[in-house]
Amino acid sequence: MADHCCASKAGELERLARVAEQRRVLVIVLVINAAMFVTEFGAGLIAGSSALMADASDMFGDALVYAVSIYAISRSDRWKAGAAALKGVVILLLALGIVWNVAEKVASGVPPSSLLMTVFGTLALAANLGCLALLWRFRDQDVNMASTFECSRNDVISNCGVLIAAGAVALTASPWPDIVIGGIMAVVILRSAIRVLASAAPGLRAPTTS
């Protein structure tokens, strides 16, 4: 009986320690993403880059996602599934916003500043690689953390897309590399939204427990 009690207490302490560590990491990546959204979105406006603004919008979505994750972290599996579903909806709205921005860029036809795209794209990539490293060990713990890791991984892909677009714009002096990469980023983010919503659906359908 005593052994069982000690084992139960040890398991509960381990769970609480894991939750506290998850919360600490999520607060760090929340601050990083919020700061990078302000920096990168401003740079995207100045540079006139759809890809850079799309990447910044993704940062804003992730800051919201991490805030929701912090709220759900110590709650039930159903709450975590609900948080993951909210993330999926946010990601979906971001993808649609990027599509709108790309359409406006096609209409204007003005090439963006490749230098600003390169500088701020590199800064964003460094920030998101740091976030990905922090979240790596939590990626398989539950649907809440798995969907959070998915958001961070998408950011790294988006950052690479911005840098590719910057190089192509510099070589061609055309807005089309920026437009194409922005469109690809929209598709990647849309697919991620579908995966996150699909992973959250079973938890949302599960009956509540008293």
Side-chain angles (χ1 to χ4, degrees):
M1 177 70 71
D3 288 344
H4 175 73
C5 180
C6 290
S8 176
K9 287 181 179 179
E12 179 64 13
L13 288 173
E14 181 180 351
R15 184 190 69 81
L16 291 174
R18 185 168 64 246
V19 167
E21 190 174 13
Q22 286 181 4
R23 182 178 287 108
R24 179 182 62 83
V25 168
L26 286 171
V27 168
I28 293 172
V29 295
L30 167 60
V31 171
I32 291 173
N33 276 267
M36 283 306 305
F37 161 69
V38 174
T39 302
E40 196 177 15
F41 194 83
L45 285 173
I46 296 170
S49 168
S50 293
L52 204 58
M53 291 176 68
D55 198 34
S57 298
D58 196 27
M59 289 278 196
F60 173 77
D62 285 347
L64 175 61
V65 160
Y66 296 138
V68 173
S69 295
I70 292 168
Y71 179 74
I73 196 170
S74 59
R75 296 179 179 270
S76 67
D77 289 342
R78 189 177 181 86
W79 270 99
K80 291 178 179 179
L86 177 58
K87 296 172 197 178
V89 172
V90 170
I91 296 170
L92 178 62
L93 293 175
L94 284 170
L96 296 176
I98 295 169
V99 170
W100 178 265
N101 186 264
V102 167
E104 289 188 331
K105 191 68 180 180
V106 171
S108 70
V110 178
S113 168
S114 59
L115 177 59
L116 287 177
M117 290 177 67
T118 301
V119 171
F120 287 95
T122 301
L123 181 62
L125 177 60
N128 281 318
L129 284 173
C131 291
L132 195 67
L134 288 169
L135 292 166
W136 179 265
R137 56 187 159 159
F138 302 113
R139 67 192 187 280
D140 295 324
Q141 285 191 358
D142 56 48
V143 66
N144 183 42
M145 295 304 292
S147 59
T148 302
F149 177 80
E150 176 98 10
C151 292
S152 187
R153 185 180 61 188
N154 286 344
D155 283 346
V156 171
I157 295 172
S158 297
N159 298 150
C160 292
V162 169
L163 294 176
I164 291 171
V169 167
L171 289 173
T172 63
S174 166
W176 281 103
D178 183 59
I179 292 170
V180 170
I181 292 298
I184 293 173
M185 288 167 63
V187 172
V188 170
I189 296 172
L190 179 60
R191 289 183 60 192
S192 175
I194 294 171
R195 283 196 297 268
V196 170
L197 289 170
S199 69
L204 291 173
R205 289 195 296 264
T208 56
T209 56
S210 57

